């Protein structure tokens, strides 16, 4: 089983930017495709972005398309989520996740095997 350790996040004003990082260690065969999800208070967890194993394919939720960018550096076993033009509705706990799927960009939480500890992103208006 891989372990995912997240960093980044915090409090930012609307229109600001943040970068989240997620470092994988251990059994990295369960971190081929990587994704980011978020969960706001009182809401279900939702898909944010995913990136394929070699980084050639990415996918985004409509609500973040054009504002967020997912990327990865496999040499560092790290995946990033750049959050730009943040809105108050982006406030949530963000989770990175690793999948044993070695193709495509999974969008369902059930397709992921390993999860990070979560990091809070708060956007003030």
């Amino acid at each position: 089983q891989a372990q995912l350790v997240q960093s980044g996040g915090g409090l930012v004003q609307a229109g600001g930017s943040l970068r989240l990082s997620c470092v994988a260690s251990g059994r990295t065969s369960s971190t081929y495709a990587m994704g980011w999800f978020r969960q706001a208070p009182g809401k279900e967890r939702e898909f944010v972005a995913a990136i394929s194993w070699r980084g050639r394919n990415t996918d985004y939720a409509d609500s973040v398309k054009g504002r967020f960018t997912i990327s990865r550096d496999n040499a560092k076993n790290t995946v990033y989520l750049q959050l730009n033009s943040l809105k108050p509705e982006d406030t949530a706990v963000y989770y990175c996740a690793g999948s044993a799927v070695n193709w495509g960009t999974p969008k369902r939480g059930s397709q992921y095997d390993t999860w990070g500890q979560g990091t809070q992103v708060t956007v003030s208006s």
Side-chain angles (χ1 to χ4, degrees), residues 81-100:
L81 185 67
Q82 179 68 40
L83 297 74
N84 295 332
S85 302
L86 282 161
K87 304 175 181 179
E89 51 263 44
D90 294 319
T91 295
V93 177
Y94 284 70
Y95 297 90
C96 69
S99 173

Side-chain angles (χ1 to χ4, degrees), residues 11-52:
L11 173 64
V12 65
Q13 289 188 331
S17 298
L18 287 171
R19 189 175 82 157
L20 308 182
S21 300
C22 175
V23 180
S25 62
R27 187 179 178 184
T28 54
S29 60
S30 58
T31 57
Y32 287 143
M34 296 291 293
W36 288 93
F37 291 76
R38 67 186 182 186
Q39 187 166 21
K43 295 187 177 181
E44 293 186 352
R45 183 181 62 194
E46 64 174 355
F47 169 79
V48 175
I51 188 167
S52 60

Side-chain angles (χ1 to χ4, degrees), residues 3 7-8 23 32 40 50 54 63-64 72 83 93 95 97 103 107 116:
Q3 292 79 45
S7 61
V23 180
Y32 287 143
R54 299 189 184 279
S63 59
V64 307
R72 68 189 299 165
L83 297 74
V93 177
Y95 297 90
W103 53 268
K107 299 176 69 172

Side-chain angles (χ1 to χ4, degrees), residues 98-116:
S99 173
V101 172
N102 61 2
W103 53 268
T105 51
K107 299 176 69 172
R108 298 195 307 272
S110 59
Q111 294 175 289
Y112 289 84
D113 309 287
T114 305
W115 294 81

Side-chain angles (χ1 to χ4, degrees), residues 66-78:
R67 300 188 298 120
F68 292 8
T69 302
I70 188 171
S71 61
R72 68 189 299 165
D73 183 342
N74 287 346
K76 297 181 179 179
N77 291 327
T78 302

